[in-house]
């Protein structure tokens, strides 16, 4: 049986907007997103999502060009974090019993 973080990670994954591309081997990334969901919930910001992604990608690609502070990213790269922010916030609302409309 999976633990609570695994279940929350799956909830975040299922809350992604349709058509969102998910990186290969991203189980650890979604566990980090689950921690954000639990710690910050609907107050999670794009910067938080990017920081979690940067921590994750540093394990396999520490010199990735986007592994820089959020404020240093171009608009297109910042926008890539939005579906994951939406998912974390949706999952937080779902977990707290608030239904998205």
């Amino acid at each position: 049986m999976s633990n609570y973080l695994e279940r929350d990670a799956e909830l975040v994954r299922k809350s992604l907007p349709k058509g969102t591309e998910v990186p290969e081997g991203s189980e650890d990334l979604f566990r980090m997103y689950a921690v954000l969901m639990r710690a910050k919930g609907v107050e999670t910001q794009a910067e938080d999502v990017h920081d979690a992604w940067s921590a994750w990608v540093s394990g396999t690609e520490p010199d990735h060009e986007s592994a820089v502070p959020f404020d240093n990213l171009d608009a297109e790269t910042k926008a890539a974090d939005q579906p994951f922010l939406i998912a974390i916030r949706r999952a937080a609302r779902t977990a707290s019993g608030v239904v998205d409309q």
Side-chain angles (χ1 to χ4, degrees):
M1 174 150 78
S2 61
N3 68 34
Y4 71 102
L5 285 175
E6 297 292 336
R7 289 188 297 270
D8 287 348
E10 185 59 24
L11 177 59
V12 171
R13 187 182 291 272
K14 287 181 179 180
S15 298
L16 283 166
K18 297 222 183 291
T20 301
E21 288 189 39
V22 176
E24 296 264 339
S26 58
E27 293 79 12
D28 288 341
L29 176 60
F30 277 88
R31 279 190 285 277
M32 287 188 225
Y33 289 163
V35 170
L36 282 176
M37 181 202 87
R38 295 180 68 79
K40 295 192 78 176
V42 297
E43 300 300 320
T44 302
Q45 300 297 311
E47 292 88 345
D48 304 320
V49 175
H50 180 71
D51 288 344
W53 176 86
S54 291
W56 172 74
V57 81
S58 70
T60 57
E61 214 177 325
D63 295 326
H64 192 287
E65 65 183 20
S66 296
V68 297
F70 187 78
D71 289 340
N72 295 355
L73 297 172
D74 61 39
E76 182 180 340
T77 305
K78 286 180 180 179
D81 290 321
Q82 283 302 307
F84 301 95
L85 176 60
I86 289 167
I88 291 165
R89 289 178 175 174
R90 279 182 183 165
R93 286 191 295 275
T94 299
S96 68
V98 176
V99 179
D100 264 354
Q101 296 188 14

